[in-house]
Amino acid sequence: GSLGYCCNSINGYMVSNGYLYCDVPAGKKAKDSISFSYDDLMLYGINEIADMEIGFEITDDDYNETYTDPCQITTSAFDSHDYTTNHYQATITSPAAMNTYGYEIKLFSEDTLYDDNGIKHLSSVVMVDSDGDTMLLLEFENTSDSILNVTTSNIAINNLLITNSTWSSDTIIPNKHGIIFIDLTSVLEEEYWEIYGIEEVGTVSLSLGQCDIESNRITDDVPVEIVV
């Protein structure tokens, strides 16, 4: 399977989809296909595929598991692709993308809120999507030589603590960017916003931490605040 520990990337950006699962009988070969969401890639600013890295989880009949390192495949666009430009930031803030996907940017910030153990926060986006849901997007870069999981917890909206447990854990492999999506309308369902006096998002507070690929916590949680 290709989603064993979610370490797939395209053009230097972690992607959460790209599903493949097949059985390979002993002594035989098998062929299968893997696909990625066009809309997801375009929102990351990926309009051509220069390379993809895919990790596999391999399980035998006795449920013994083996995880491969990400395997890179390059295309004819690899040599000419510009890896120095932040295509995600350029796209997410562009009027063309906003018109195409029907979202509105409430905040875009490149203020660094977190920098620890090789994981650096690069940007924050608060958007309202076409369904009226409010989303928080946090961009990180892994400059270490280890596969790391970035965790979010203790999420508060307008100083109202909504959840104090771990909300998400996202894998970022070395030298890649990862975008963490937090649907604030899922953190606190929209029907409760008026009850708690939330008309719009003014601040989002949360704690950021790290785990290794075996889910062992390796850093202390750091509280951060995004002011819209």
Side-chain angles (χ1 to χ4, degrees):
S2 60
L3 294 180
Y5 56 119
C6 300
C7 66
N8 301 333
S9 71
I10 294 180
N11 294 8
Y13 291 89
M14 303 300 297
V15 292
S16 59
N17 53 32
Y19 178 75
L20 177 148
Y21 182 85
C22 65
D23 293 324
V24 187
K28 303 294 183 180
K29 296 179 180 180
K31 289 184 179 181
D32 210 325
S33 61
I34 183 169
S35 60
F36 298 90
S37 165
Y38 175 83
D39 286 344
D40 287 354
L41 297 186
M42 289 298 291
L43 200 59
Y44 285 0
I46 300 174
N47 54 21
E48 65 176 4
I49 294 180
D51 83 281
M52 60 178 68
E53 294 191 15
I54 303 170
F56 295 98
E57 176 189 21
I58 303 166
T59 308
D60 64 16
D61 288 339
D62 296 322
Y63 301 102
N64 299 305
E65 295 179 331
T66 300
Y67 296 92
T68 72
D69 289 332
C71 308
Q72 186 185 52
I73 303 168
T74 61
T75 74
S76 57
F78 179 74
D79 290 334
S80 60
H81 183 73
D82 179 12
Y83 284 91
T84 62
T85 297
N86 191 315
H87 298 280
Y88 159 74
Q89 290 186 15
T91 300
I92 201 73
T93 57
S94 71
M98 294 183 206
N99 290 333
T100 299
Y101 295 98
Y103 64 87
E104 179 185 1
I105 294 289
K106 296 293 186 179
L107 168 78
F108 172 74
S109 172
E110 294 180 82
D111 293 341
T112 300
L113 304 178
Y114 181 88
D115 191 351
D116 188 22
N117 192 43
I119 294 290
K120 183 177 182 179
H121 169 261
L122 299 181
S123 70
S124 305
V125 171
V126 176
M127 69 161 63
V128 178
D129 67 14
S130 57
D131 295 324
D133 295 339
T134 303
M135 309 286 294
L136 171 64
L137 284 65
L138 300 173
E139 178 191 10
F140 296 89
E141 182 180 14
N142 183 354
T143 62
S144 76
D145 57 2
S146 302
I147 298 175
L148 299 171
N149 290 339
V150 178
T151 63
T152 63
S153 60
N154 301 323
I155 300 176
I157 301 174
N158 296 0
N159 296 318
L160 173 67
L161 180 64
I162 309 300
T163 175
N164 58 4
S165 59
T166 299
W167 180 259
S168 64
S169 180
D170 293 81
T171 304
I172 307 178
I173 62 179
N175 304 311
K176 298 294 186 290
H177 289 210
I179 316 298
I180 295 178
F181 288 78
I182 300 176
D183 184 349
L184 298 178
T185 312
S186 294
V187 176
L188 178 64
E189 295 195 22
E190 196 169 14
E191 62 188 281
Y192 296 109
W193 284 44
E194 184 177 351
I195 296 173
Y196 288 107
I198 301 176
E199 296 181 359
E200 60 182 0
V201 175
T203 62
V204 181
S205 304
L206 68 157
S207 296
L208 298 172
Q210 296 176 39
C211 295
D212 62 19
I213 59 175
E214 296 178 347
S215 299
N216 299 308
R217 186 159 294 277
I218 55 177
T219 67
D220 294 330
D221 285 346
V222 175
V224 302
E225 183 180 58
I226 297 98
V227 180
V228 182

